[in-house]
């Protein structure tokens, strides 16, 4: 993957900031990494660990994906998502809330699910899975907590480990739960980063994240030659649109290289 590394480093030379990148061929195990263990504010990438913990608790019988939760006015928060726009008192299943948390990055759904499973449980599971930099410290849109130092964090290596485990079914969960997560990730609606230049029919199961000065995207790219795990995290950006351009350019570079 040395040629791919050179191409990506050429793209990065046009931008300022910092980045963590992991690209792995899941068939051969061949890997290209740049700052894989560098910790970043997770933004909405933290929703992938939350989803994994929900599936773990569902598999353990601690909750049901079909149980219904009420979305009341107090639960609604700003930012990404659709639930804030809908009537209070609406009921949704855990499965539906997980779907909204991933495919629309719904912050209200995320906070309801954090309260359901507990931050400590998410962090303990991530630690048990061997993740070094991933920690859930605050609910979505709680910027006061973020300013006090309670920021959610992750790394490209940690996310690559999670995505690879979801794809291969090696996270210690029954296969049905990995299949549910893959199905949800494949229905991602936010496609302005890694897949921006890709053919519409190309399948990627992924999650994005955005904060001021940070743009992330990562997941599993399905190609005829086999799946690739791809994670690109970027922070310290002068403008977010530059991060969008950078991640999209890396996506195009990867597709062109593999194709």
């Amino acid at each position: 993957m040395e040629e791919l590394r050179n191409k990506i480093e050429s793209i990065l030379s046009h931008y300022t900031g910092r980045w963590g990148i992991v690209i792995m061929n899941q068939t051969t195990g061949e890997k290209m990494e740049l700052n894989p263990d560098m910790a970043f504010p997770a933004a909405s990438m933290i929703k992938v660990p939350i989803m994994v913990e929900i599936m773990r608790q569902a598999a353990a019988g601690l909750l049901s994906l079909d149980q219904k939760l009420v979305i009341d006015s107090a639960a609604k928060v700003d930012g990404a998502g659709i639930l804030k726009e809908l009537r209070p008192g609406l009921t949704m299943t855990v499965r539906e809330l997980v779907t909204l948390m991933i495919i629309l990055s719904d912050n209200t759904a995320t906070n309801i699910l954090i309260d359901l499973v507990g931050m400590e449980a998410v962090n303990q599971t991530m630690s048990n899975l061997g993740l070094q930099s991933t920690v859930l410290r605050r609910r979505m849109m709680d910027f006061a907590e973020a300013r006090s130092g309670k920021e959610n964090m992750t790394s490209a290596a940690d996310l690559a480990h999670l995505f690879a485990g979801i794809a291969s079914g090696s996270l210690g969960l029954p296969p049905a739960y990995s299949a549910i997560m893959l199905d949800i990730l494949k229905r991602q609606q936010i496609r302005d980063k890694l897949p921006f230049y890709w053919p519409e029919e190309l399948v990627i199961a992924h999650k994005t994240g955005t904060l001021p000065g940070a743009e992330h995207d990562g997941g599993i790219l399905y190609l005829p030659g086999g799946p690739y795990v791809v994670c690109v995290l970027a922070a310290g950006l002068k403008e977010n649109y530059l991060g969008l351009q950078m991640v999209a350019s890396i996506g195009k570079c990867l597709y062109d290289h593999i194709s």
Side-chain angles (χ1 to χ4, degrees), residues 229-241:
V229 170
V230 186
C231 292
V232 179
L233 308 183
L237 303 166
K238 288 184 177 180
E239 300 287 349
N240 276 71
Y241 78 87

Side-chain angles (χ1 to χ4, degrees), residues 12-20 35 38 40 213 233-238 242 246:
L12 295 174
S13 69
H14 298 285
Y15 296 91
T16 59
R18 60 190 184 95
W19 31 77
N35 306 317
M38 183 180 287
F40 290 80
L233 308 183
L237 303 166
K238 288 184 177 180
L242 296 172
M246 185 189 80

Side-chain angles (χ1 to χ4, degrees), residues 4 7 24 36 47 57 64 69 78 82 88 90 100 108 113 127-128 139 144 148 168-170 180 186 201 214 221:
L4 177 61
K7 291 176 180 177
M24 182 177 66
K47 295 168 184 177
Q57 292 194 20
S64 167
L69 301 174
D78 291 332
I82 192 66
L90 185 71
L100 290 178
T108 296
L113 293 170
S127 177
N128 292 345
R139 300 164 90 245
S148 74
S168 64
S170 59
I180 290 169
K186 286 177 182 178
E201 66 272 14
L221 169 61

